[in-house]
Amino acid sequence: MSLPYLRPELAAFTAYSPHAEDSQGELREFDQLDTNECPYDLPVPLKEKLAWLYQQEIRANRYPDGSHGSLKAAIADYVSEALTAQTAVTADHITVGNGSDELIRSILIAACLGNHGSVLVANPTFSMYAILAKTLGIPVIVTERDPETFALDLPTATQAIAEASQPVRVVFMVHPNSPTANALTAAELDWLKQLPETTLVVIDEAYFEFSQQTTVAECLSHSNWIVLRTFSKAFRLAAHRVGYGIACPELIWALEKVRLPYNLPSLSQAIARLALDHRQELLARVPEILSERQLLTAAIQVLGANLQVWPSQANFLYLRPQVGNGDAQHQLQSLHRHLARMGTRVRQTGGGLRITIGTPAENQRTLAHLKSALAMTAP
Ligand SMILES: *Cc1c(COP(=O)(O)O)cnc(C)c1O
């Protein structure tokens, strides 16, 4: 049935599904290593505290705090911890979204809608930028990364901006990038800094707690920079959908104008504040994940020359079957399928596999399943 009132271009889109490539839905028990969450649920006492707050303090009949005042202040304190004493982030520098996905959409609405301009992404990268832009009818300009280092090809990116039919209003960069796990280089940062004030630079630091590299200080001194962060990864709150942006107050006000009025449920605000209060305990898992990452990287490297694995600054690894070994794309698909059948669910994207670092037991299974899958897919 056709619905003639819809915008015709919607027919070409499919609704986002994080596990879209899986054909093995019938497996009940599997290691979920395709969405880069932390493998550990919240500690039980924290969940009990949230339950207590729900019973005693949160009124279900009332709208949530629509200004997110106390959460913003707590986030500002947390962000400031990683900065030198001279740079302070205040609540005025913070906006909070229903996941950083909502903030990405707010940025697109504020900067590009109504034919005001296009966006630039460097593939392979987080798919949500282009998906959200397209649903809003915003043109997406794609530039490619170096196939070995995944760094931007800066002259090509400059040229793409110069030749864009609509001015590039937003450049999206992940730091470190997903799926390729590399942090921005000094040359890339210099290039971003020289972009004109008519272009907004978005630095998505979803994996900051793993990389410990941040551009917040930079973003405080430029009116055209914003840093995005999330509680969905190291803070273990993916179920609660809390993301935030850090930028100059003028940009924050603009983003607040276009967001939905009560975008963050009371429970999400409460648990995000609790998580910040208990951050030492929650982030104590980060070193374990980083050392597991090292172990798994080294173990994959000794599996043989069939797989290339890249160094990672985040909580996931990126690997590709070596080209030259027959049909790389075919081998990739078959690796992905075999892994899924054995119960290791990873993400196939950008011509490679992105594998989240899980618990030590999960990572051991990842390695064992990779070995078997490689044996089965050997050309
Ligand atoms: C996981 C992730 C996010 C988080 O999105 P939320 O909507 O906050 O869950 C944002 N950006 C990147 C690059 C990610 O990988």
Side-chain angles (χ1 to χ4, degrees):
M1 185 176 30
S2 85
L3 305 175
Y5 47 82
L6 291 178
R7 288 156 51 203
E9 62 266 33
L10 284 187
F13 304 153
T14 40
Y16 181 74
S17 157
H19 312 299
E21 317 100 335
D22 289 310
S23 46
Q24 281 70 37
E26 67 277 3
L27 262 188
R28 245 167 246 236
E29 294 268 329
F30 55 85
D31 296 332
Q32 189 171 336
L33 303 175
D34 60 348
T35 36
N36 291 347
E37 299 121 318
C38 179
Y40 301 106
D41 196 351
L42 286 183
V44 170
L46 263 192
K47 285 194 162 180
E48 286 172 350
K49 187 82 193 285
L50 183 67
W52 183 89
L53 282 175
Y54 188 47
Q55 283 180 334
Q56 304 295 322
E57 293 198 349
I58 294 172
R59 294 194 54 181
N61 60 318
R62 294 293 176 197
Y63 283 110
D65 172 2
S67 67
H68 317 135
S70 65
L71 177 56
K72 283 182 176 185
I75 290 172
D77 284 347
Y78 167 64
V79 173
S80 298
E81 274 179 359
L83 306 174
T84 57
Q86 295 92 317
T87 25
V89 170
T90 68
D92 290 340
H93 295 99
I94 307 290
T95 185
V96 187
N98 194 279
S100 37
D101 291 341
E102 184 195 6
L103 298 173
I104 295 166
R105 180 141 71 176
S106 292
I107 288 167
L108 292 166
I109 292 172
C112 304
L113 213 60
N115 292 323
H116 192 240
S118 59
V119 304
L120 179 84
V121 298
N123 278 348
T125 196
F126 189 47
S127 57
M128 206 46 74
Y129 311 128
I131 292 173
L132 292 175
K134 285 177 189 162
T135 63
L136 293 168
I138 295 165
V140 179
I141 293 159
V142 176
T143 184
E144 302 294 326
R145 293 166 181 271
D146 182 288
E148 263 308 307
T149 65
F150 300 119
L152 278 182
D153 179 342
L154 298 175
T156 308
T158 304
Q159 196 183 350
I161 291 178
E163 289 170 357
S165 55
Q166 284 197 31
V168 173
R169 295 297 178 201
V170 186
V171 172
F172 285 104
M173 288 290 147
V174 199
H175 180 47
N177 190 41
S178 172
T180 54
N182 55 309
L184 286 169
T185 64
E188 287 173 311
L189 282 166
D190 285 344
W191 181 80
L192 292 167
K193 285 178 210 167
Q194 57 80 49
L195 289 174
E197 279 186 347
T198 48
T199 303
L200 175 62
V201 176
V202 179
I203 309 286
D204 188 336
E205 296 185 356
Y207 302 98
F208 161 71
E209 283 79 12
F210 302 102
S211 75
Q212 286 300 315
Q213 298 188 47
T214 181
T215 59
V216 168
E218 201 57 53
C219 125
L220 294 180
S221 60
H222 294 275
S223 61
N224 63 323
W225 279 52
I226 184 167
V227 168
L228 300 183
R229 299 251 189 100
T230 180
F231 284 86
S232 299
K233 306 285 158 65
F235 273 103
R236 318 192 205 169
L237 294 187
H240 289 282
R241 310 298 300 122
V242 189
Y244 58 98
I246 309 153
C248 66
E250 292 78 5
L251 176 54
I252 296 297
W253 294 330
L255 295 175
E256 299 266 316
K257 287 182 200 174
V258 300
R259 74 165 167 84
L260 293 175
Y262 300 106
N263 60 335
L264 204 59
S266 301
L267 274 177
S268 296
Q269 296 193 41
I271 194 67
R273 281 173 50 204
L274 272 182
L276 286 170
D277 288 345
H278 293 263
R279 57 184 173 264
Q280 279 199 321
E281 181 189 356
L282 293 180
L283 299 179
R285 289 293 190 173
V286 169
E288 175 196 305
I289 290 169
L290 298 186
S291 70
E292 282 292 307
R293 181 183 78 195
Q294 284 323 106
L295 289 174
L296 188 57
T297 308
I300 292 174
Q301 273 161 348
V302 301
L303 281 184
N306 287 356
L307 273 185
Q308 183 169 9
V309 57
W310 275 266
S312 168
Q313 304 293 320
N315 65 334
F316 55 87
L317 294 181
Y318 191 62
L319 37 93
R320 279 180 179 168
Q322 289 288 45
V323 276
N325 260 336
D327 182 350
Q329 183 62 23
H330 180 262
Q331 220 199 326
L332 178 65
Q333 273 168 3
S334 127
L335 259 184
H336 184 248
R337 203 171 45 243
H338 285 302
L339 285 174
R341 286 211 181 116
M342 288 181 275
T344 294
R345 193 180 255 190
V346 304
R347 182 127 168 111
Q348 182 186 331
T349 177
L353 297 180
R354 191 192 66 190
I355 306 181
T356 309
I357 304 298
T359 64
E362 285 176 320
N363 303 330
Q364 276 164 21
R365 286 194 289 272
T366 296
L367 184 64
H369 293 166
L370 259 180
K371 275 186 198 165
S372 324
L374 279 172
M376 287 187 263
T377 58

